[in-house]
């Protein structure tokens, strides 16, 4: 009885254990890496986006609302460049007195004259709140062509621009209340929305350059005299002398308030693959380590894979009915190309299926004539039964058909000649027999 009970209990225990072991064996490296990330990431809102294409490689609470803190300034910088030119000069006004207490600053004061380019650096590197306010007022006045627009009206107009632009980019769960990210209960975003905004900002070369700079010196006119201001980037991933340096990091913006916690939008690149990591409600130090881990996960497990190039010879097709001297096969070229960011483990399983135009088929071959660039078929690329991409196949060159005389005229011309030869042969065979009979008579 004891033995039977013990055996049954062992069976009941072994089934869950066996299931667990099987799951461990079948889980892909990507899934295992995701599980590992999720187990220790402190940030409450996370997105890892890949470029080109904007594919999400990892997410955690990506649609939940969080406070962005100074990562707000990515949108401020984007709008500044969309409504002004880098060489324009900005006069810092009374808006500098509107920044909140304990704000990060870049050292600008009332009356300073600074270029838009340097103002952008003042926003992106030391995260100057007064620089963000100066940029907002100037950009709003330029957008309205009202250089004397009152400060508060300009700030309200600029926050309207921020919210309009967010909606245009698909950041539908974001609302901005100020240009610097100082805490306001009505100022919020999501990790996914912030990735969309960062993705758009990266289209501006000057934002890329500024966000990736470790330091910058700016010449500011103060009371008619030049003053040099030097700023260092608050993004620790960029500094080799700091413990969280990441060699593949390229930008972008840090943030922190007591309510938002540590926030970070970071970018990194390896070859032709670029990653955007967004971390919200993290801590000052862990956000950098978490970003580095997200980047390692992305670069280790994903590749930008060129499935097919436009004009690539995908397959060769057999021909029939082609003129003498034409090759027996023709290359079928892809009408368009396709690349995708895919897990490394999936790439060997990509398959392709070719279907030829039925009107051109004769058995297993394509019938001549064919014109270069003519649609002769279609190719479909799949991964585990899911269609990745389809495109038309084009004839790689002109193919001439065999001339009619090659089929009918030549035999018709040869037939009379063959008949004549046959008649002559019969006559030649008949003549000796007649002479033989005459001799016997």
């Amino acid at each position: 009885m004891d033995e039977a009970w013990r055996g049954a209990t062992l069976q009941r225990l072994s089934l869950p254990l066996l299931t667990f072991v099987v799951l461990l064996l079948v889980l892909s490296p990507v899934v295992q890496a995701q599980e590992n990330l999720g187990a220790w990431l402190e940030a409450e809102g996370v997105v890892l986006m890949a470029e080109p294409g904007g594919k999400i490689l990892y997410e955690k609470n990506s649609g939940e609302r969080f406070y962005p803190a100074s990562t707000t300034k990515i949108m401020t910088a984007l709008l500044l460049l969309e409504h002004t030119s880098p060489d324009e000069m900005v006069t810092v006004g009374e808006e500098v007195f509107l920044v909140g207490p304990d704000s990060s600053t870049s050292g600008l004061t009332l009356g300073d004259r600074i270029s838009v380019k340097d103002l952008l650096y003042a926003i992106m590197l030391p995260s100057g709140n007064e620089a963000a306010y100066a940029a907002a007022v100037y950009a709003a006045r330029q957008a309205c062509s009202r250089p004397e627009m009152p400060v508060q009206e300009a700030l309200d107009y600029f926050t309207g621009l921020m919210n309009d632009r967010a909606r245009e980019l698909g950041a539908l769960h974001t609302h901005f209340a100020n240009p610097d990210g100082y805490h306001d209960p009505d100022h919020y975003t999501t990790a996914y929305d912030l990735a969309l905004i960062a993705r758009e900002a990266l289209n501006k070369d000057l934002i890329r350059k500024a966000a990736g700079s470790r330091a910058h010196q700016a010449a500011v006119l103060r009371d008619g005299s030049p003053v040099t201001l030097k700023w260092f980037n608050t993004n620790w991933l960029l500094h080799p002398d700091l413990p969280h340096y990441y060699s593949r990091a390229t930008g972008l913006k840090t943030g922190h308030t007591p309510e938002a916690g540590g926030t970070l939008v970071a970018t990194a690149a390896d070859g032709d693959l670029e990653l955007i990591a967004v971390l919200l409600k993290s801590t000052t130090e862990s956000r950098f380590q978490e970003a580095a881990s997200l980047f390692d996960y992305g670069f280790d497990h994903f590749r930008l894979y060129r499935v097919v190039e436009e004009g690539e010879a995908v397959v060769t097709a057999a021909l029939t009915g082609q003129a003498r001297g034409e090759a027996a096969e023709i290359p079928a070229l892809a009408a368009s190309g396709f690349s995708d960011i895919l897990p490394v483990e999936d790439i060997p399983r990509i398959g392709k299926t070719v279907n030829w135009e039925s009107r051109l088929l004769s058995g297993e071959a394509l019938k001549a004539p064919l014109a270069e660039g003519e649609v002769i078929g279609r190719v479909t690329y799949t991964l585990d039964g899911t269609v990745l991409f389809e495109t038309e196949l084009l004839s790689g060159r002109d193919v001439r058909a065999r001339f009619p005389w090659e089929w009918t005229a030549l035999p018709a011309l040869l037939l009379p000649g063959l008949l004549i030869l046959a008649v002559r042969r019969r006559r030649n065979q008949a003549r000796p027999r007649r002479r033989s009979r005459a001799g016997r008579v």
Side-chain angles (χ1 to χ4, degrees), residues 89-95 109-114 119 134 137-138 141:
M89 295 300 294
V90 179
T91 300
V92 178
E94 294 180 355
E95 62 273 7
T109 62
L110 179 66
D112 283 352
R113 294 270 293 165
I114 185 172
L119 187 59
V137 170
Y138 182 74
R141 288 170 174 169

Coordinates of all heavy atoms in Angstrom, one line a residue, residues 89-95 109-114 119 134 137-138 141:
M89 N 19.5 84.4 -33.6 CA 19.9 84.8 -32.3 C 18.7 85.0 -31.4 O 17.7 85.6 -31.8 CB 20.7 86.1 -32.3 CG 22.0 85.9 -33.1 SD 23.1 84.7 -32.3 CE 23.5 85.5 -30.7
V90 N 18.7 84.5 -30.2 CA 17.6 84.6 -29.2 C 18.1 85.4 -28.1 O 19.2 85.3 -27.5 CB 17.3 83.1 -28.7 CG1 16.2 83.2 -27.7 CG2 16.9 82.2 -29.9
T91 N 17.2 86.3 -27.7 CA 17.4 87.2 -26.5 C 16.6 86.5 -25.3 O 15.4 86.4 -25.4 CB 16.9 88.6 -26.7 OG1 17.7 89.2 -27.8 CG2 17.2 89.4 -25.5
V92 N 17.3 86.2 -24.3 CA 16.6 85.5 -23.1 C 15.8 86.6 -22.4 O 16.3 87.7 -22.1 CB 17.7 84.9 -22.2 CG1 17.0 84.3 -21.0 CG2 18.5 83.8 -23.0
G93 N 14.5 86.3 -22.2 CA 13.6 87.3 -21.5 C 13.2 86.9 -20.1 O 13.8 86.0 -19.5
E94 N 12.1 87.5 -19.7 CA 11.6 87.3 -18.4 C 11.1 85.9 -18.1 O 10.8 85.5 -16.9 CB 10.5 88.3 -18.1 CG 11.0 89.8 -18.1 CD 9.9 90.7 -17.8 OE1 8.7 90.3 -17.7 OE2 10.2 91.9 -17.7
E95 N 11.0 85.1 -19.2 CA 10.6 83.7 -19.0 C 11.5 82.9 -18.1 O 11.1 81.9 -17.5 CB 10.4 83.0 -20.3 CG 11.7 82.9 -21.1 CD 11.9 84.1 -22.0 OE1 11.2 85.1 -21.9 OE2 12.9 84.0 -22.8
T109 N 21.0 84.0 -18.3 CA 20.3 85.0 -17.5 C 19.6 86.0 -18.4 O 19.8 86.0 -19.6 CB 21.3 85.8 -16.6 OG1 22.2 86.5 -17.5 CG2 22.1 84.9 -15.7
L110 N 18.8 86.9 -17.8 CA 18.0 87.8 -18.5 C 18.8 88.7 -19.4 O 19.9 89.2 -18.9 CB 17.2 88.7 -17.5 CG 16.3 89.8 -18.1 CD1 15.2 89.2 -18.9 CD2 15.8 90.7 -17.0
G111 N 18.5 88.8 -20.6 CA 19.2 89.7 -21.6 C 20.3 89.0 -22.3 O 20.9 89.6 -23.3
D112 N 20.6 87.8 -22.0 CA 21.7 87.1 -22.7 C 21.2 86.9 -24.2 O 20.1 86.6 -24.5 CB 21.9 85.7 -22.1 CG 22.8 85.7 -20.9 OD1 23.3 86.8 -20.6 OD2 22.9 84.7 -20.2
R113 N 22.2 87.0 -25.1 CA 22.0 86.7 -26.5 C 22.7 85.4 -26.9 O 23.9 85.3 -26.7 CB 22.5 87.9 -27.4 CG 21.8 89.2 -27.2 CD 20.6 89.3 -28.1 NE 21.1 89.4 -29.5 CZ 20.2 89.3 -30.6 NH1 19.0 88.9 -30.4 NH2 20.7 89.4 -31.8
I114 N 22.0 84.5 -27.4 CA 22.5 83.2 -27.7 C 21.9 82.6 -29.0 O 20.7 82.9 -29.3 CB 22.2 82.2 -26.5 CG1 22.9 80.8 -26.8 CG2 20.7 82.0 -26.3 CD1 22.9 79.9 -25.6
L119 N 21.5 77.3 -27.9 CA 20.4 77.2 -27.0 C 19.9 75.7 -27.0 O 19.5 75.2 -25.9 CB 19.2 78.1 -27.5 CG 18.0 78.1 -26.5 CD1 18.4 78.7 -25.2 CD2 16.9 79.0 -27.2
A134 N 13.2 79.7 -22.6 CA 13.6 80.7 -23.6 C 13.4 80.2 -25.0 O 12.9 80.9 -25.9 CB 15.1 81.0 -23.5
V137 N 9.4 80.3 -25.8 CA 8.9 81.6 -26.1 C 9.4 82.1 -27.4 O 8.6 82.6 -28.2 CB 9.4 82.6 -25.0 CG1 9.0 84.1 -25.4 CG2 8.7 82.3 -23.6
Y138 N 10.6 81.9 -27.8 CA 11.1 82.3 -29.1 C 10.5 81.5 -30.2 O 10.0 82.1 -31.2 CB 12.7 82.1 -29.1 CG 13.3 82.6 -30.4 CD1 13.4 84.0 -30.7 CD2 13.7 81.7 -31.4 CE1 13.9 84.4 -31.9 CE2 14.2 82.1 -32.6 CZ 14.3 83.5 -32.8 OH 14.8 83.9 -34.0
R141 N 6.8 82.6 -30.8 CA 6.8 83.9 -31.5 C 7.1 83.8 -32.9 O 6.5 84.4 -33.8 CB 7.7 84.9 -30.8 CG 7.2 85.4 -29.4 CD 8.3 86.1 -28.6 NE 7.8 86.7 -27.4 CZ 8.6 87.3 -26.5 NH1 9.9 87.3 -26.6 NH2 8.0 87.8 -25.4

